[in-house]
Amino acid sequence: MTKTINTNQWKKIKLGDVCNVQTGPFGSQLHQKDYVLDGTPIITVEHLGCRKISRQKLPCVSDEDVTRLNKYTLIEGDVVFSRVGSVDRASYVMKEEEGWLFSGRCLRIRPIDQNVNSMFLYYYFCQDQFKEYVRKISVGATMPSLNTKILSDIIVSIPPLPIQRRIGEILGSFDAKIELNRRMNTTLEQIATALFKSWFV
């Protein structure tokens, strides 16, 4: 039997009180001409939208730029938000993405309070209700956009840390199974295509 979570234990807090919200490098700090073929990946809006960050067409920067832009380095547990356009898109930074950077079109959320679990926060941001709210509070007439103040001022509901961890673990395990099934389906499709070609082509 599934236990009912007592929401009376949840506290409403301002995101900026428990997390550092950082905008990516702006203007003269990083240009497209600074991208290199082989280097450290930098995440843009196009790579966000699900828990795992997309590896499709990742731009890269040199070691010199990584050192110069170390303020924008990612660590495991960071959540990267889209700052412009699809402002409700976010992804969770995994261990293998530590040391990557994020672009000026993104915002990085990093918990600074030990009583806040970053995986729980990510799934909190994934709620349809939260996404709708973020779209409503975004600014800009032609293109929606967020900034550090807007995101920092958002009120979130946080349960005790053990409950946060449990929620993050359960939803994370479901995501892992979904990803495994997706890979298996892709593999089966490739096998079926190969067999079809060997038999009929």
Side-chain angles (χ1 to χ4, degrees), residues 47 71 77 111 116 137 144 146 173:
H47 304 106
K71 178 181 180 181
V116 175
I137 63 173
L146 297 173
S173 67

Side-chain angles (χ1 to χ4, degrees), residues 5 20 30 36-37 53 60 62 106 116-117 123 141-142 176 181 200:
I5 296 176
N20 171 263
L30 185 67
V36 297
L37 290 176
I53 292 166
C60 296
S62 66
C106 299
V116 175
N117 179 268
Y123 284 113
T142 56
N181 286 335
F200 299 108

Side-chain angles (χ1 to χ4, degrees), residues 44-83:
T44 66
V45 173
E46 292 75 17
H47 304 106
L48 307 178
C50 60
R51 180 181 154 190
K52 296 196 76 171
I53 292 166
S54 171
R55 261 98 168 135
Q56 296 288 325
K57 298 180 181 178
L58 276 166
C60 296
V61 293
S62 66
D63 291 344
E64 291 79 8
D65 281 332
V66 171
T67 301
R68 179 172 63 86
L69 301 169
N70 65 341
K71 178 181 180 181
Y72 310 103
T73 301
L74 297 169
I75 62 172
E76 182 181 11
D78 285 344
V79 179
V80 183
F81 244 92
S82 171
R83 187 182 64 80

Side-chain angles (χ1 to χ4, degrees), residues 16 23 39 44 49 53 55 78 82 87 94 119 127-129 131 139 142-143 146 149 151 171-172 177 179-180 189 200:
T23 307
T44 66
I53 292 166
R55 261 98 168 135
D78 285 344
S82 171
V87 292
M94 309 292 284
M119 183 69 79
Q127 297 178 94
D128 289 339
Q129 183 179 348
K131 288 183 176 184
V139 295
T142 56
M143 180 176 288
L146 297 173
K149 177 165 175 47
L151 216 48
L171 294 178
K177 289 176 181 176
E179 175 64 15
L180 179 61
E189 286 175 6
F200 299 108

Side-chain angles (χ1 to χ4, degrees):
M1 181 178 290
T2 305
K3 291 184 177 179
T4 303
I5 296 176
N6 182 8
T7 53
N8 292 330
Q9 299 176 347
W10 294 45
K11 294 189 302 183
K12 291 187 180 296
I13 53 174
K14 193 161 70 169
L15 191 62
D17 290 341
V18 294
C19 293
N20 171 263
V21 182
Q22 173 70 52
T23 307
F26 272 108
S28 59
Q29 289 181 292
L30 185 67
H31 297 97
Q32 193 165 355
K33 65 180 176 61
D34 296 320
Y35 294 162
V36 297
L37 290 176
D38 187 22
T40 299
I42 180 165
I43 297 167
T44 66
V45 173
E46 292 75 17
H47 304 106
L48 307 178
C50 60
R51 180 181 154 190
K52 296 196 76 171
I53 292 166
S54 171
R55 261 98 168 135
Q56 296 288 325
K57 298 180 181 178
L58 276 166
C60 296
V61 293
S62 66
D63 291 344
E64 291 79 8
D65 281 332
V66 171
T67 301
R68 179 172 63 86
L69 301 169
N70 65 341
K71 178 181 180 181
Y72 310 103
T73 301
L74 297 169
I75 62 172
E76 182 181 11
D78 285 344
V79 179
V80 183
F81 244 92
S82 171
R83 187 182 64 80
V84 293
S86 302
V87 292
D88 56 0
R89 297 174 69 175
S91 288
Y92 182 87
V93 177
M94 309 292 284
K95 181 70 176 176
E96 57 265 30
E97 292 142 5
E98 278 203 353
W100 291 15
L101 304 178
F102 63 103
S103 77
R105 292 166 60 85
C106 299
L107 290 155
R108 181 192 65 201
I109 299 174
R110 177 177 293 170
I112 54 175
D113 189 319
Q114 293 183 346
N115 292 311
V116 175
N117 179 268
S118 56
M119 183 69 79
F120 167 83
L121 267 186
Y122 166 72
Y123 284 113
Y124 187 93
F125 298 149
C126 288
Q127 297 178 94
D128 289 339
Q129 183 179 348
F130 182 86
K131 288 183 176 184
E132 184 180 354
Y133 176 70
V134 168
R135 290 192 293 267
K136 284 181 178 177
I137 63 173
S138 62
V139 295
T142 56
M143 180 176 288
S145 64
L146 297 173
N147 55 45
T148 54
K149 177 165 175 47
I150 291 174
L151 216 48
S152 297
D153 286 344
I154 288 177
I155 302 298
V156 294
S157 296
I158 302 288
L161 186 58
I163 297 177
Q164 292 179 52
R165 287 174 176 159
R166 186 64 180 144
I167 291 173
E169 287 169 2
I170 292 171
L171 294 178
S173 67
F174 277 120
D175 261 353
K177 289 176 181 176
I178 291 170
E179 175 64 15
L180 179 61
N181 286 335
R182 186 193 64 78
R183 290 181 183 177
M184 288 176 63
N185 288 337
T186 300
T187 302
L188 289 172
E189 286 175 6
Q190 291 171 348
I191 293 171
T193 301
L195 285 172
F196 177 84
K197 287 180 178 179
S198 68
W199 290 340
F200 299 108
V201 177

